[in-house]
Amino acid sequence: AQSVTQLDSHVSVSEGTPVLLRCNYSSSYSPSLFWYVQHPNKGLQLLLKYTSAATLVKGINGFEAEFKKSETSFHLTKPSAHMSDAAEYFCVVTRNTGGFKTIFGAGTRLFVKA
Amino acid sequence: EAQVTQNPRYLITVTGKKLTVTCSQNMNHEYMSWYRQDPGLGLRQIYYSMNVEVTDKGDVPEGYKVSRKEKRNFPLILESPSPNQTSLYFCASSRASGGLAYNEQFFGPGTRLTVL
């Protein structure tokens, strides 16, 4: 069975410092992994996705994530946080075995301090 | 503009009164899905549809129904709502070509439902 664990429910950083949001997955198959962002009172927007073409994936707004199969991780990083990054972030895995389901992690809320 | 629309955006109702939340997309996507979002649980998939007349259960289908009679529409039906269905609901769509598992899902703005 596939599952997604986001290791931190809340992360707080100062503006200009690095961001690390952690995600571990379990999958019986080669997974498709995504990070989505949800700003307050808004819908969800795709940040980036891993689809086996490259292990280091670059997304929008300076975010990137590295797929590490040996660690079953897909952590999201950004070198320098901006106030506008404050939002909730979801790690997502899709599975396509006799159907097509989408599994969301519980989410990590990122706070950015001035 | 490419988009997924949901109506209504806000709804307060009472236990047992049937309701429908509509979802429509204008991107000619094959795949559509409904999710509910609850604090601390992320989004959980209720139902999804691979194409017209093809629907399947997600992880939390109890108490919900869906239909897919047209490609652009995917309504969510609560025939007898209960307070535990109070939640924020999102509809999403995605194209199937190129490998469905790899494709971005486009989300609607959400419907906040309160069942008293």
Side-chain angles (χ1 to χ4, degrees), chain B residues 41-61:
Chain B
L41 297 178
L43 279 75
R44 293 177 292 167
Q45 193 170 35
I46 303 171
Y47 271 95
Y48 64 93
S49 170
M50 300 289 284
N51 213 322
V52 175
E53 303 290 1
V54 181
T55 62
D56 206 348
K57 297 177 180 178
D59 289 328
V60 289

Side-chain angles (χ1 to χ4, degrees), chain A residues 27-94:
Chain A
S27 174
S28 304
Y29 305 87
S30 182
S32 295
L33 293 159
F34 303 78
W35 277 98
Y36 284 85
V37 60
Q38 183 181 33
H39 290 277
N41 300 313
K42 295 283 181 67
L44 286 92
Q45 179 184 21
L46 179 70
L47 270 181
L48 50 81
K49 63 180 180 180
Y50 167 75
T51 58
S52 77
T55 56
L56 183 62
V57 182
K58 294 188 184 301
I60 61 171
N61 300 333
F63 284 94
E64 61 182 39
E66 186 172 9
F67 174 72
K68 292 187 176 180
K69 187 174 181 179
S70 60
E71 299 176 10
T72 62
S73 70
F74 190 55
H75 299 337
L76 182 70
T77 60
K78 183 174 181 178
S80 176
H82 191 272
M83 295 297 289
S84 61
D85 295 327
E88 187 149 27
Y89 293 79
F90 294 98
C91 184
V92 179
V93 63
T94 57

